[in-house]
Amino acid sequence: MKKRIIPFIISGIAILSACSHQKPSLDVSLSDKFEGQTVELINFLDSTSLSSAVVKDGKAVLENIPEKPVFASVLIDGRTRAFYISETGNASLTDSVTTAFGTPLNDKFSVLLSQLDSIENLDDVEAYVNFVEKSYNDNKDNPIGSYFGIEWMKYADYSKVDSILEKAPEPLKNSPKTNYYKNFAKLRAATAPGQPYIDFEGETLDGANINFSSLVKPGVYTLVDFWASWCPYCIKELPDIASLYDKWKGNGLEIVGVAVRDTPDDSKAAVNKHNITWPVILNTQRRPYDIYGFSGIPHHMLIGPDGKIVSRDESLSQIDARLQAAKDAEAN
């Protein structure tokens, strides 16, 4: 399933502001590596800029923030590092956390995000979706709903999207981000289990052009692992994929790795470092996202012997059980 990756874990000391402010403000404490860089708040839903400040002596103070509560992404040097909710009072952010803290909505969101992380570690998509949907419904009247509404749409059944959005708050209902993920839900519907897979192009380890379809063999199952060298969750599960490959290789399963949003050199280095023995397609960039409508990696897709998609976003243990059930049924 999709993993939310916000690379913002470096050493630092939390410094709490001793005074509160009536107007929204955010104190950011950072390590030396960020000195001189720009910290910017952008509206999570429409990417408009809300406030910015330059890091000086390890600190950036963002003020003149709109008083209307807004869910915002915190960007440093153009990259999303954390989240902040604008509301009355002074909030803080350090380089050891991914959510601001010190005001009611920020503290509430921090707790919910921690709970979501725990559920995500279970690798149970249904539990994950149920949690984000409940969190959205519980927070539709405040900016936290913006985050969980979008997170829910990343997995939503396309047939349910319009009915959910019909009752959504106006900022969420018509935002560019909502339209983006609504389209992704449509793409998922077109590539849902039971539908034929869709071909795309990439490169081999030698840099030659290759079609994905050339690696999908008729008559066997094909597990497609969408991954990237920069994705820690993807790298962590490689030994488990190797174990699955050892168990089922030559017994009805092939595996194809598809590197997304990654440079060919970095992908090749990861293949060599982690001794990936199954075929890997490089340099596909965002093409698979725009075909299959997933929004995070690792993402697993199982294609059946007939070329139709059997499952999307299942865990490796679920895929193993599915293959065993198919083998048992064949034996009977």
Side-chain angles (χ1 to χ4, degrees):
M1 70 178 283
K2 175 260 184 192
K3 305 290 183 181
R4 292 167 292 103
I5 301 175
I6 305 174
F8 196 52
I9 304 175
I10 48 183
S11 61
I13 301 174
I15 300 177
L16 299 177
S17 173
C19 58
S20 62
H21 300 270
Q22 290 304 308
K23 292 185 177 181
S25 64
L26 176 64
D27 292 344
V28 184
S29 300
L30 299 169
S31 68
D32 293 344
K33 67 179 290 185
F34 293 104
E35 191 70 14
Q37 295 186 10
T38 299
V39 179
E40 183 179 18
L41 297 180
I42 66 165
N43 188 309
F44 178 73
L45 292 176
D46 63 18
S47 298
T48 56
S49 181
L50 303 175
S51 181
S52 65
V54 175
V55 180
K56 184 177 181 181
D57 297 328
K59 297 187 181 302
V61 179
L62 290 92
E63 298 176 311
N64 299 318
I65 300 170
E67 295 190 29
K68 181 180 179 180
V70 174
F71 194 94
S73 300
V74 181
L75 277 63
I76 302 180
D77 198 28
R79 294 179 59 192
T80 298
R81 306 286 184 170
F83 298 113
Y84 162 73
I85 300 170
S86 66
E87 61 178 328
T88 298
N90 175 255
S92 299
L93 182 65
T94 72
D95 47 16
S96 60
V97 295
T98 57
T99 60
F101 55 91
T103 60
L105 285 177
N106 282 293
D107 290 344
K108 180 179 181 180
F109 177 69
S110 180
V111 170
L112 288 172
L113 200 60
S114 177
Q115 293 172 345
L116 185 60
D117 285 339
S118 297
I119 294 172
E120 187 173 54
N121 289 334
L122 300 175
D123 209 8
D124 185 334
V125 176
E126 184 176 358
Y128 186 94
V129 174
N130 287 341
F131 182 85
V132 296
E133 185 174 4
K134 182 179 186 304
S135 298
Y136 164 67
N137 286 322
D138 290 346
N139 292 279
K140 282 194 292 187
D141 61 344
N142 68 65
I144 293 176
S146 297
Y147 177 85
F148 285 106
I150 293 298
E151 196 66 21
W152 172 80
M153 288 190 67
K154 293 178 180 179
Y155 301 91
D157 184 332
Y158 181 66
S159 64
K160 298 179 180 178
V161 170
D162 285 336
S163 61
I164 293 292
L165 289 179
E166 185 179 348
K167 300 178 181 179
E170 196 62 32
L172 176 62
K173 184 186 298 185
N174 296 310
S175 75
K177 193 177 287 283
T178 295
N179 290 333
Y180 178 82
Y181 284 110
K182 182 178 179 179
N183 180 60
F184 263 41
K186 186 177 182 179
L187 294 172
R188 286 197 302 277
T191 55
Q195 300 296 323
Y197 75 87
I198 298 176
D199 202 8
F200 55 87
E201 293 182 348
E203 295 178 4
T204 66
L205 292 173
D206 297 326
N209 292 332
I210 187 173
N211 287 329
F212 168 66
S213 58
S214 67
L215 297 176
V216 180
K217 300 178 181 178
V220 299
Y221 288 90
T222 301
L223 171 60
V224 187
D225 176 38
F226 297 100
W227 70 289
S229 66
W230 47 261
C231 167
Y233 301 100
C234 302
I235 301 303
K236 183 179 179 181
E237 73 168 16
L238 286 175
D240 294 328
I241 296 179
S243 296
L244 188 71
Y245 195 39
D246 288 342
K247 177 179 180 179
W248 290 101
K249 183 181 181 182
N251 196 20
L253 177 71
E254 296 294 333
I255 296 179
V256 177
V258 179
V260 296
R261 295 173 54 204
D262 206 4
T263 67
D265 285 346
D266 286 346
S267 298
K268 282 188 280 189
V271 168
N272 293 327
K273 178 179 180 180
H274 301 287
N275 193 31
I276 297 176
T277 58
W278 49 90
V280 176
I281 299 177
L282 313 180
N283 203 24
T284 65
Q285 300 311 324
R286 292 199 61 91
R287 288 191 293 278
Y289 287 77
D290 295 335
I291 291 172
Y292 291 100
F294 61 91
S295 54
I297 52 175
H299 181 82
H300 304 138
M301 179 172 70
L302 186 65
I303 299 174
D306 60 356
K308 291 185 178 179
I309 297 169
V310 175
S311 69
R312 297 278 308 271
D313 213 14
E314 286 189 331
S315 68
L316 295 174
S317 60
Q318 288 172 318
I319 291 169
D320 182 40
R322 187 181 287 278
L323 293 171
Q324 188 62 55
K327 182 180 180 180
D328 294 343
E330 225 178 72
N332 294 329

